[in-house]
PDB file of all heavy atoms in Angstrom:
ATOM      1  N   ALA A 112      -2.539   1.382 -31.118  1.00  0.00           N
ATOM      2  CA  ALA A 112      -2.362   1.248 -29.678  1.00  0.00           C
ATOM      3  C   ALA A 112      -2.933   2.433 -28.943  1.00  0.00           C
ATOM      4  O   ALA A 112      -2.474   2.767 -27.834  1.00  0.00           O
ATOM      5  CB  ALA A 112      -0.894   1.097 -29.359  1.00  0.00           C
ATOM      6  N   GLU A 113      -3.954   3.056 -29.461  1.00  0.00           N
ATOM      7  CA  GLU A 113      -4.575   4.104 -28.695  1.00  0.00           C
ATOM      8  C   GLU A 113      -5.379   3.532 -27.535  1.00  0.00           C
ATOM      9  O   GLU A 113      -5.976   2.447 -27.695  1.00  0.00           O
ATOM     10  CB  GLU A 113      -5.564   4.879 -29.607  1.00  0.00           C
ATOM     11  CG  GLU A 113      -5.104   6.197 -29.959  1.00  0.00           C
ATOM     12  CD  GLU A 113      -6.045   7.011 -30.768  1.00  0.00           C
ATOM     13  OE1 GLU A 113      -6.110   6.787 -31.995  1.00  0.00           O
ATOM     14  OE2 GLU A 113      -6.848   7.767 -30.157  1.00  0.00           O
ATOM     15  N   PHE A 114      -5.444   4.178 -26.459  1.00  0.00           N
ATOM     16  CA  PHE A 114      -6.130   3.726 -25.222  1.00  0.00           C
ATOM     17  C   PHE A 114      -5.512   2.534 -24.522  1.00  0.00           C
ATOM     18  O   PHE A 114      -5.936   2.044 -23.508  1.00  0.00           O
ATOM     19  CB  PHE A 114      -7.586   3.283 -25.469  1.00  0.00           C
ATOM     20  CG  PHE A 114      -8.421   4.152 -26.339  1.00  0.00           C
ATOM     21  CD1 PHE A 114      -9.005   3.683 -27.462  1.00  0.00           C
ATOM     22  CD2 PHE A 114      -8.572   5.516 -26.048  1.00  0.00           C
ATOM     23  CE1 PHE A 114      -9.757   4.507 -28.273  1.00  0.00           C
ATOM     24  CE2 PHE A 114      -9.303   6.334 -26.835  1.00  0.00           C
ATOM     25  CZ  PHE A 114      -9.933   5.815 -27.970  1.00  0.00           C
ATOM     26  N   VAL A 115      -4.396   1.950 -25.079  1.00  0.00           N
ATOM     27  CA  VAL A 115      -3.897   0.701 -24.567  1.00  0.00           C
ATOM     28  C   VAL A 115      -2.855   0.956 -23.459  1.00  0.00           C
ATOM     29  O   VAL A 115      -2.046   1.818 -23.586  1.00  0.00           O
ATOM     30  CB  VAL A 115      -3.266  -0.165 -25.619  1.00  0.00           C
ATOM     31  CG1 VAL A 115      -2.723  -1.455 -25.047  1.00  0.00           C
ATOM     32  CG2 VAL A 115      -4.261  -0.467 -26.705  1.00  0.00           C
ATOM     33  N   GLU A 116      -2.992   0.169 -22.380  1.00  0.00           N
ATOM     34  CA  GLU A 116      -1.972   0.200 -21.351  1.00  0.00           C
ATOM     35  C   GLU A 116      -1.621  -1.275 -21.115  1.00  0.00           C
ATOM     36  O   GLU A 116      -2.437  -2.047 -20.781  1.00  0.00           O
ATOM     37  CB  GLU A 116      -2.583   0.796 -20.075  1.00  0.00           C
ATOM     38  CG  GLU A 116      -1.650   1.643 -19.254  1.00  0.00           C
ATOM     39  CD  GLU A 116      -2.306   2.169 -18.026  1.00  0.00           C
ATOM     40  OE1 GLU A 116      -3.128   3.118 -18.171  1.00  0.00           O
ATOM     41  OE2 GLU A 116      -2.004   1.668 -16.964  1.00  0.00           O
ATOM     42  N   LEU A 117      -0.345  -1.593 -21.273  1.00  0.00           N
ATOM     43  CA  LEU A 117       0.050  -3.022 -21.153  1.00  0.00           C
ATOM     44  C   LEU A 117       0.113  -3.408 -19.700  1.00  0.00           C
ATOM     45  O   LEU A 117       0.830  -2.752 -18.936  1.00  0.00           O
ATOM     46  CB  LEU A 117       1.397  -3.274 -21.799  1.00  0.00           C
ATOM     47  CG  LEU A 117       1.482  -3.558 -23.282  1.00  0.00           C
ATOM     48  CD1 LEU A 117       2.933  -3.892 -23.653  1.00  0.00           C
ATOM     49  CD2 LEU A 117       0.609  -4.752 -23.605  1.00  0.00           C
ATOM     50  N   PRO A 118      -0.566  -4.435 -19.250  1.00  0.00           N
ATOM     51  CA  PRO A 118      -0.398  -4.885 -17.878  1.00  0.00           C
ATOM     52  C   PRO A 118       1.034  -5.467 -17.721  1.00  0.00           C
ATOM     53  O   PRO A 118       1.622  -5.889 -18.664  1.00  0.00           O
ATOM     54  CB  PRO A 118      -1.442  -5.989 -17.718  1.00  0.00           C
ATOM     55  CG  PRO A 118      -2.324  -5.945 -18.870  1.00  0.00           C
ATOM     56  CD  PRO A 118      -1.546  -5.266 -19.996  1.00  0.00           C
ATOM     57  N   ASP A 119       1.469  -5.519 -16.463  1.00  0.00           N
ATOM     58  CA  ASP A 119       2.874  -5.959 -16.189  1.00  0.00           C
ATOM     59  C   ASP A 119       3.098  -7.363 -16.614  1.00  0.00           C
ATOM     60  O   ASP A 119       4.233  -7.749 -17.030  1.00  0.00           O
ATOM     61  CB  ASP A 119       3.177  -5.803 -14.701  1.00  0.00           C
ATOM     62  CG  ASP A 119       3.226  -4.369 -14.315  1.00  0.00           C
ATOM     63  OD1 ASP A 119       3.631  -3.537 -15.140  1.00  0.00           O
ATOM     64  OD2 ASP A 119       2.811  -4.057 -13.171  1.00  0.00           O
ATOM     65  N   SER A 120       2.087  -8.235 -16.576  1.00  0.00           N
ATOM     66  CA  SER A 120       2.297  -9.660 -16.874  1.00  0.00           C
ATOM     67  C   SER A 120       2.571  -9.834 -18.354  1.00  0.00           C
ATOM     68  O   SER A 120       3.026 -10.851 -18.810  1.00  0.00           O
ATOM     69  CB  SER A 120       1.168 -10.505 -16.413  1.00  0.00           C
ATOM     70  OG  SER A 120      -0.066  -9.899 -16.793  1.00  0.00           O
ATOM     71  N   TYR A 121       2.220  -8.828 -19.191  1.00  0.00           N
ATOM     72  CA  TYR A 121       2.408  -8.976 -20.627  1.00  0.00           C
ATOM     73  C   TYR A 121       3.507  -8.098 -21.140  1.00  0.00           C
ATOM     74  O   TYR A 121       3.420  -7.527 -22.219  1.00  0.00           O
ATOM     75  CB  TYR A 121       1.097  -8.655 -21.374  1.00  0.00           C
ATOM     76  CG  TYR A 121      -0.125  -9.397 -20.922  1.00  0.00           C
ATOM     77  CD1 TYR A 121      -1.359  -8.801 -20.903  1.00  0.00           C
ATOM     78  CD2 TYR A 121      -0.007 -10.757 -20.552  1.00  0.00           C
ATOM     79  CE1 TYR A 121      -2.498  -9.543 -20.508  1.00  0.00           C
ATOM     80  CE2 TYR A 121      -1.103 -11.458 -20.115  1.00  0.00           C
ATOM     81  CZ  TYR A 121      -2.344 -10.860 -20.077  1.00  0.00           C
ATOM     82  OH  TYR A 121      -3.458 -11.533 -19.692  1.00  0.00           O
ATOM     83  N   SER A 122       4.538  -7.859 -20.317  1.00  0.00           N
ATOM     84  CA  SER A 122       5.531  -6.926 -20.751  1.00  0.00           C
ATOM     85  C   SER A 122       6.313  -7.370 -21.961  1.00  0.00           C
ATOM     86  O   SER A 122       6.916  -6.534 -22.624  1.00  0.00           O
ATOM     87  CB  SER A 122       6.509  -6.594 -19.597  1.00  0.00           C
ATOM     88  OG  SER A 122       7.014  -7.851 -19.096  1.00  0.00           O
ATOM     89  N   ASN A 123       6.295  -8.654 -22.265  1.00  0.00           N
ATOM     90  CA  ASN A 123       6.986  -9.099 -23.473  1.00  0.00           C
ATOM     91  C   ASN A 123       6.142  -9.064 -24.742  1.00  0.00           C
ATOM     92  O   ASN A 123       6.620  -9.427 -25.832  1.00  0.00           O
ATOM     93  CB  ASN A 123       7.494 -10.547 -23.300  1.00  0.00           C
ATOM     94  CG  ASN A 123       8.722 -10.632 -22.450  1.00  0.00           C
ATOM     95  OD1 ASN A 123       9.453  -9.622 -22.407  1.00  0.00           O
ATOM     96  ND2 ASN A 123       8.938 -11.712 -21.826  1.00  0.00           N
ATOM     97  N   LEU A 124       4.871  -8.669 -24.581  1.00  0.00           N
ATOM     98  CA  LEU A 124       4.003  -8.662 -25.721  1.00  0.00           C
ATOM     99  C   LEU A 124       4.393  -7.566 -26.721  1.00  0.00           C
ATOM    100  O   LEU A 124       4.501  -6.420 -26.326  1.00  0.00           O
ATOM    101  CB  LEU A 124       2.541  -8.463 -25.249  1.00  0.00           C
ATOM    102  CG  LEU A 124       1.477  -8.446 -26.293  1.00  0.00           C
ATOM    103  CD1 LEU A 124       1.311  -9.804 -26.935  1.00  0.00           C
ATOM    104  CD2 LEU A 124       0.150  -8.013 -25.713  1.00  0.00           C
ATOM    105  N   ARG A 125       4.539  -7.938 -27.976  1.00  0.00           N
ATOM    106  CA  ARG A 125       4.774  -6.926 -28.995  1.00  0.00           C
ATOM    107  C   ARG A 125       3.438  -6.582 -29.601  1.00  0.00           C
ATOM    108  O   ARG A 125       2.981  -7.265 -30.517  1.00  0.00           O
ATOM    109  CB  ARG A 125       5.729  -7.439 -30.058  1.00  0.00           C
ATOM    110  CG  ARG A 125       7.164  -7.322 -29.618  1.00  0.00           C
ATOM    111  CD  ARG A 125       8.144  -7.947 -30.631  1.00  0.00           C
ATOM    112  NE  ARG A 125       8.929  -8.967 -29.984  1.00  0.00           N
ATOM    113  CZ  ARG A 125       9.139 -10.158 -30.603  1.00  0.00           C
ATOM    114  NH1 ARG A 125       8.643 -10.427 -31.759  1.00  0.00           N
ATOM    115  NH2 ARG A 125       9.863 -11.081 -29.994  1.00  0.00           N
ATOM    116  N   TYR A 126       2.792  -5.567 -29.012  1.00  0.00           N
ATOM    117  CA  TYR A 126       1.389  -5.319 -29.325  1.00  0.00           C
ATOM    118  C   TYR A 126       1.156  -5.027 -30.742  1.00  0.00           C
ATOM    119  O   TYR A 126       0.182  -5.541 -31.362  1.00  0.00           O
ATOM    120  CB  TYR A 126       0.922  -4.148 -28.474  1.00  0.00           C
ATOM    121  CG  TYR A 126      -0.556  -3.834 -28.511  1.00  0.00           C
ATOM    122  CD1 TYR A 126      -1.461  -4.559 -27.744  1.00  0.00           C
ATOM    123  CD2 TYR A 126      -1.036  -2.914 -29.463  1.00  0.00           C
ATOM    124  CE1 TYR A 126      -2.778  -4.308 -27.861  1.00  0.00           C
ATOM    125  CE2 TYR A 126      -2.385  -2.671 -29.529  1.00  0.00           C
ATOM    126  CZ  TYR A 126      -3.240  -3.399 -28.726  1.00  0.00           C
ATOM    127  OH  TYR A 126      -4.603  -3.141 -28.788  1.00  0.00           O
ATOM    128  N   SER A 127       2.069  -4.286 -31.423  1.00  0.00           N
ATOM    129  CA  SER A 127       1.842  -3.924 -32.867  1.00  0.00           C
ATOM    130  C   SER A 127       2.564  -4.786 -33.795  1.00  0.00           C
ATOM    131  O   SER A 127       2.918  -4.385 -34.891  1.00  0.00           O
ATOM    132  CB  SER A 127       2.263  -2.429 -33.037  1.00  0.00           C
ATOM    133  OG  SER A 127       1.747  -1.636 -32.061  1.00  0.00           O
ATOM    134  N   ASN A 128       2.769  -6.040 -33.406  1.00  0.00           N
ATOM    135  CA  ASN A 128       3.566  -6.948 -34.219  1.00  0.00           C
ATOM    136  C   ASN A 128       2.938  -7.218 -35.597  1.00  0.00           C
ATOM    137  O   ASN A 128       3.662  -7.604 -36.517  1.00  0.00           O
ATOM    138  CB  ASN A 128       3.786  -8.285 -33.504  1.00  0.00           C
ATOM    139  CG  ASN A 128       5.147  -8.826 -33.764  1.00  0.00           C
ATOM    140  OD1 ASN A 128       6.010  -8.141 -34.171  1.00  0.00           O
ATOM    141  ND2 ASN A 128       5.342 -10.116 -33.507  1.00  0.00           N
ATOM    142  N   ILE A 129       1.664  -6.924 -35.717  1.00  0.00           N
ATOM    143  CA  ILE A 129       1.022  -7.138 -37.006  1.00  0.00           C
ATOM    144  C   ILE A 129       1.659  -6.229 -38.066  1.00  0.00           C
ATOM    145  O   ILE A 129       1.724  -6.573 -39.227  1.00  0.00           O
ATOM    146  CB  ILE A 129      -0.529  -6.920 -36.916  1.00  0.00           C
ATOM    147  CG1 ILE A 129      -1.245  -7.573 -38.021  1.00  0.00           C
ATOM    148  CG2 ILE A 129      -0.854  -5.441 -36.824  1.00  0.00           C
ATOM    149  CD1 ILE A 129      -2.757  -7.544 -37.878  1.00  0.00           C
ATOM    150  N   LEU A 130       2.125  -5.044 -37.613  1.00  0.00           N
ATOM    151  CA  LEU A 130       2.756  -4.148 -38.577  1.00  0.00           C
ATOM    152  C   LEU A 130       4.029  -4.726 -39.122  1.00  0.00           C
ATOM    153  O   LEU A 130       4.335  -4.657 -40.327  1.00  0.00           O
ATOM    154  CB  LEU A 130       3.080  -2.799 -37.886  1.00  0.00           C
ATOM    155  CG  LEU A 130       1.849  -1.973 -37.488  1.00  0.00           C
ATOM    156  CD1 LEU A 130       2.295  -0.757 -36.743  1.00  0.00           C
ATOM    157  CD2 LEU A 130       1.065  -1.520 -38.695  1.00  0.00           C
ATOM    158  N   ALA A 131       4.801  -5.365 -38.238  1.00  0.00           N
ATOM    159  CA  ALA A 131       6.068  -5.925 -38.633  1.00  0.00           C
ATOM    160  C   ALA A 131       5.832  -7.052 -39.635  1.00  0.00           C
ATOM    161  O   ALA A 131       6.492  -7.146 -40.683  1.00  0.00           O
ATOM    162  CB  ALA A 131       6.836  -6.484 -37.433  1.00  0.00           C
ATOM    163  N   GLY A 132       4.830  -7.885 -39.380  1.00  0.00           N
ATOM    164  CA  GLY A 132       4.494  -9.006 -40.280  1.00  0.00           C
ATOM    165  C   GLY A 132       4.061  -8.471 -41.597  1.00  0.00           C
ATOM    166  O   GLY A 132       4.394  -9.027 -42.683  1.00  0.00           O
TER     167      GLY A 132
END
Side-chain angles (χ1 to χ4, degrees):
Chain A
E113 253 184 276
F114 316 124
V115 179
E116 217 179 286
L117 273 186
D119 292 326
S120 46
Y121 305 144
S122 52
N123 281 336
L124 180 67
R125 277 177 241 135
Y126 187 84
S127 312
N128 217 17
I129 201 172
L130 293 175

